[in-house]
Amino acid sequence: RAPPPRAPAPAKPVVAESKPVVDPSLPTIPPLDESDSVVADLIRKLSSHPLVAGLLATNGLIRHFAVAISNIADGQAPAALLHPLKPSGSFRGVTRKDGVFIDTRSYARYTPLAEAVDALDPQAVARLYAALKPRLEEAHREAGERNTTFDQTLERAIVSMLKTPVPSGPVQLEPHGVVYIYADPKIEAMTPAQRQLIRMGPDNARTIQTKLRAIALAIGIPSDRLPATPQQ
């Protein structure tokens, strides 16, 4: 006697992922050498924060952004490329009986940057990204990145930031010549970009991580490729 036919396997649920949609109301981005004024106008509509306004005063906006993202993806802190975002004041340590720690007052230097990031509308960022992507890919290749797409590089950069464990308590330092290094070898072993995020302070770092996750989903990075934000 023939065995009864097997019931068909249940279909796997389809998880809808957000995809950036090209907004037909946005202009076509001119060639890289002619793109600054158009890109600056689009970014002004995205954000009126003073930090963003300062960034728009630089030349080669698309090229600078593409290289900055590549640097972060490779673990480097792109401070030279994002000089207009440099905080005022100086980094400070405070000496206690049990050692030297980051002076928590230093974290306030980065609050304007965290606020600027937090004010971004992820869906608006996704629409702008979709419009800029052809030129970003061009700038990416121009910078020598020929074995990966800008989408892939951007994802690596975002994932690297989301994987950064943000300490919730005091962060101890050790003198190292004329500068400080982190006393915790786990922090010191992180990439310069990740250490810079920690330097911003726990509140600012988590604000940035939360917004980066929302932007990543809005531009179409599947949620299963984004790490859970670690805690330390």
Side-chain angles (χ1 to χ4, degrees), residues 66-192:
V67 173
I69 294 301
S70 292
N71 285 358
I72 294 171
D74 292 338
Q76 301 304 311
L81 292 165
L82 301 179
H83 184 74
L85 301 181
K86 183 179 179 180
S88 60
S90 58
F91 177 79
R92 295 186 296 183
V94 59
T95 302
R96 305 188 328 194
K97 291 182 179 180
D98 50 346
V100 180
F101 295 80
I102 293 179
D103 187 338
T104 55
R105 292 175 293 181
S106 294
Y107 297 152
R109 301 164 60 228
Y110 295 97
T111 299
L113 176 58
E115 291 174 343
V117 172
D118 193 39
L120 295 174
D121 176 357
Q123 295 301 325
V125 171
R127 290 191 294 271
L128 178 58
Y129 179 65
L132 296 179
K133 191 153 64 168
R135 293 291 177 252
L136 284 167
E137 291 286 4
E138 183 181 342
H140 194 53
R141 293 192 302 271
E142 184 182 273
E145 301 284 355
R146 302 188 181 278
N147 297 321
T148 184
T149 67
F150 187 75
D151 275 346
Q152 293 168 330
T153 298
L154 179 60
E155 181 176 332
R156 283 198 298 122
I158 292 175
V159 166
S160 174
M161 292 297 94
L162 294 182
K163 286 172 62 177
T164 305
V166 178
S168 56
V171 178
Q172 189 169 2
L173 305 170
E174 287 183 356
H176 186 74
V178 297
V179 298
Y180 290 114
I181 62 173
Y182 291 102
D184 186 339
K186 292 181 180 178
I187 298 178
E188 194 57 35
M190 295 179 189
T191 70

